[in-house]
């Protein structure tokens, strides 16, 4: 039987969903300008060596915490996690990008769902980080499904942005996303079951620095 | 070995910083502090060879309102091979009162092959307090051909401004997984330099000058950004080609930030 949440998930994860993600490269633009990532093979390596490990070690366990709080409609905990995420994001441009994406997603999700919970959260003057709003938006889904959706958004966001930054076509882009998701998917449930939150986190100074430099770049295609 | 070093710096006669409280236990010791440029300069000394597995060291530093404390180390901090699979643990707690200033300027951290180490940093700065916190992670004993051969390094850092968490970092570095990939992409034997700065309101962070220090991307990849919260707090991060580049960057970064503060640099006694 078709899960009742599936159509909703497909809609909010569709590339046409107006979250504004198309305008962000999340640090990738600077990395390509510095030739750290030049070709599709480099992008694939970047996703597998830097982004997927980060999803497994940080974003997905964090999403699990936020998703559990959102499912319980515990907005105080959701807000505390939103504030904590603000401190995790050391690069100001990545922090701002996450807030922009989350805020847009919250507005759209509220319009579609007309939820009192989302309306209450919108009134809290919270940072509205993308991960937190995804947790709220997907709170009625199984946690692993929410994690899968968030993982796909992250990976396809980088892959889609890279098509404007290097010579790469749609077909190659989709192959890269498929391969990355095939690598990530078997780990999603375990990543979202992490019980000891004191050990979540990931080290990526390169991406943080690239974002910091991008914020001050003279020329740029993407907002972040 | 279970050791500790607790220091509290206060002001005497309204202008002279001094240690109103000190307590230490092996393997930690401290030099005779001296006042320079209005700050109390104190060397933190580990007179043993370094840190061994199962060592547990607690460091607590308090700067009272109005006082200035500069903490540094006379030599690199080495963590040796874990012989029994145990992890060495260092906890650092730094508290800065309103109008106080704390600089933490260590020599490089050098993890030897097989080292297992965990460090917790909690930095609490009251509104109106100032901070200049550096950390320098080296790949290991590069001259011996030993780079990134440690077993595991875990680093936890929280920076608070008043009751607002403005920066949080948690990472676990292992040579056998992907955790070092981003660090080693620009330079295979990369040194990592991290810095947190909190300046008084109204004192502009010298971002252009800091970024100019990273002008040569063939040796330094550097960025800076304001931290979260409505405070004048910044982070600087750099990936450097080697130790000489890192040392020069650290020194230059310190100079630029002191210039922005409009204060003379206390002499560390080794340059």
């Amino acid at each position: 039987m078709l899960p009742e949440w599936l159509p909703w998930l497909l809609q909010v994860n569709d590339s046409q969903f107006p979250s504004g993600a198309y305008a962000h490269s999340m640090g990738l633009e600077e990395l390509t300008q510095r030739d750290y990532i030049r070709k599709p093979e480099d992008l694939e390596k970047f996703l597998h060596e830097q982004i997927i490990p980060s999803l497994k070690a940080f974003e997905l366990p964090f999403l699990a915490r936020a998703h559990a709080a959102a499912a319980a409609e515990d907005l105080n905990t959701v807000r505390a996690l939103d504030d904590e995420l603000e401190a995790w994001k050391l690069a100001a441009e990545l922090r701002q990008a996450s807030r922009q994406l989350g805020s847009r997603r919250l507005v759209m999700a509220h319009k579609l769902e007309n939820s009192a919970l989302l309306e209450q959260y919108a009134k809290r003057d919270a940072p509205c980080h993308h991960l937190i709003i995804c947790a709220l938006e997907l709170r009625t889904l199984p946690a692993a499904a929410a994690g899968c959706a968030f993982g796909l958004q992250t990976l396809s966001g980088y892959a889609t942005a890279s098509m404007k930054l290097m010579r790469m076509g749609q077909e190659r882009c989709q192959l890269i996303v498929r391969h990355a998701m095939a690598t990530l998917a078997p780990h999603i449930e375990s990543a979202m079951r992490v019980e000891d939150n004191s050990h979540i986190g990931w080290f990526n100074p390169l991406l943080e620095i690239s974002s910091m430099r991008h914020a001050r770049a003279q020329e740029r295609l993407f907002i972040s | 070995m279970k050791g500790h070093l607790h220091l509290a710096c206060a002001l005497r006669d309204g202008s002279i910083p001094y240690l109103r409280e000190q307590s230490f236990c092996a393997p930690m010791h401290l030099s005779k502090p001296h006042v320079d440029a209005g700050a109390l300069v104190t060397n933190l000394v580990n007179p043993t060879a370094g840190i061994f597995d199962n060592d547990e060291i607690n460091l607590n530093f308090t700067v009272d309102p109005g006082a200035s404390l500069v903490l540094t180390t006379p030599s690199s901090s080495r963590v040796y091979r874990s012989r029994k699979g145990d992890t060495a643990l260092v906890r650092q707690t730094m508290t800065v009162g309103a109008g106080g200033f704390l600089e933490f300027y260590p020599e490089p951290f050098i993890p030897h092959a097989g080292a297992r180490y965990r460090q917790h940093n909690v930095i609490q700065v009251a509104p109106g307090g100032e901070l200049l916190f550096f950390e320098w992670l080296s790949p290991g004993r590069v001259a011996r051909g030993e780079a990134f051969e440690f077993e595991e390094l875990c680093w936890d850092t929280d920076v608070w401004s008043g009751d607002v968490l403005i920066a949080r970092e948690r990472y676990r570095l292992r040579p056998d997984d992907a955790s070092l990939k981003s660090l080693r992409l620009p330079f295979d034997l990369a040194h990592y330099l991290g810095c947190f700065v909190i300046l008084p309101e109204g004192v502009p962070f010298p971002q252009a000058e800091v970024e100019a220090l990273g002008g040569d991307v063939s040796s330094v990849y550097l960025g800076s950004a304001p931290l979260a919260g409505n405070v004048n707090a910044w982070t600087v991060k750099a990936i450097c080609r080697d130790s000489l580049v890192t040392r020069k960057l650290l020194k230059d970064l310190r100079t630029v930030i002191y210039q922005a503060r409009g204060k003379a640099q206390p002499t560390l006694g080794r340059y």
Side-chain angles (χ1 to χ4, degrees), chain B residues 57-81:
Chain B
I57 302 171
N58 288 297
L59 306 170
N60 289 291
F61 309 113
T62 301
V63 181
D64 286 357
S68 292
L69 177 64
V70 175
L71 297 172
T72 186
T73 56
S75 59
S76 55
S77 296
R78 294 175 180 275
V79 180
Y80 290 91
R81 177 185 296 278

Side-chain angles (χ1 to χ4, degrees), chain A residues 24-187:
Chain A
H24 295 272
S25 81
M26 296 294 180
L28 191 62
E29 184 173 10
E30 158 73 13
L31 290 177
T32 58
Q33 285 174 349
R34 290 287 159 210
D35 282 346
Y36 293 135
I37 297 172
R38 285 174 292 190
K39 50 190 189 298
E41 292 79 9
D42 297 338
L43 172 72
E44 192 147 32
K45 201 171 174 189
F46 168 73
L47 294 179
H48 284 263
E49 293 186 345
Q50 299 190 41
I51 303 306
I52 291 174
S54 176
L55 282 164
K56 286 160 59 181
F58 176 57
E59 282 94 352
L60 291 178
F62 204 96
L63 178 69
R65 294 168 67 192
H67 185 268
E73 302 196 353
D74 177 359
L75 289 187
N76 288 335
T77 300
V78 173
R79 173 61 198 267
L81 290 168
D82 210 351
D83 288 335
E84 184 184 332
L85 202 50
E86 183 85 349
W88 277 97
K89 293 185 177 293
L90 299 186
E93 195 183 70
L94 288 178
R95 190 166 66 238
Q96 195 57 36
S98 172
R99 293 177 68 144
Q100 280 179 10
L101 293 178
S103 297
R104 288 193 64 166
R105 187 167 277 277
L106 178 60
V107 168
M108 198 62 210
H110 178 49
K111 281 182 181 167
L112 294 174
E113 193 183 339
N114 196 22
S115 146
L117 190 77
L118 296 182
E119 187 174 1
Q120 280 177 44
Y121 200 71
K123 288 177 179 170
R124 288 197 166 211
D125 196 26
C128 293
H129 282 288
H130 183 234
L131 181 151
I132 298 294
I133 301 307
C134 283
L136 280 166
E137 181 184 49
L138 305 175
R139 68 191 180 281
T140 58
L141 274 62
C148 190
F150 184 81
L152 178 61
Q153 282 176 31
T154 304
L155 294 168
S156 65
Y158 280 113
T160 305
S162 68
M163 286 196 295
K164 298 176 188 163
L165 298 168
M166 64 181 74
R167 290 182 65 83
M168 186 172 75
Q170 289 274 7
E171 191 176 306
R172 185 67 195 270
C173 176
Q174 290 306 317
L175 283 169
I176 288 174
V177 172
R178 167 60 71 94
H179 187 197
M181 279 305 290
T183 302
L184 175 65
H187 302 282

Side-chain angles (χ1 to χ4, degrees), chain B residues 9-10 24 46 55 61 67 97 100 119 128 149 165 188 198 200 209 213 218 238 249-250 265 267:
Chain B
C9 179
F24 46 87
N46 182 342
D55 277 1
F61 309 113
Q119 181 168 312
E149 292 186 19
L165 181 67
D188 191 44
I198 300 180
E209 291 83 350
L213 300 176
S218 66
L249 176 62
L250 182 60
Q265 286 183 69
T267 306

Side-chain angles (χ1 to χ4, degrees), chain B residues 104-160:
Chain B
F104 187 77
Y105 186 101
E107 285 291 297
F109 176 85
I110 302 178
H112 284 214
R116 297 180 66 91
Y117 178 78
R118 170 170 280 275
Q119 181 168 312
H120 291 276
N121 302 313
V122 178
I123 305 169
Q124 176 84 52
V125 182
E130 286 183 77
L131 175 74
L132 182 48
F133 176 87
F134 295 103
E135 55 190 356
W136 173 357
L137 172 64
S138 81
R141 295 183 295 177
V142 177
R144 291 174 55 99
E146 184 185 292
F148 299 112
E149 292 186 19
F150 50 81
E151 192 74 28
E152 182 175 274
L153 304 182
C154 296
W155 229 266
D156 296 356
T157 299
D158 284 352
V159 184
W160 295 80

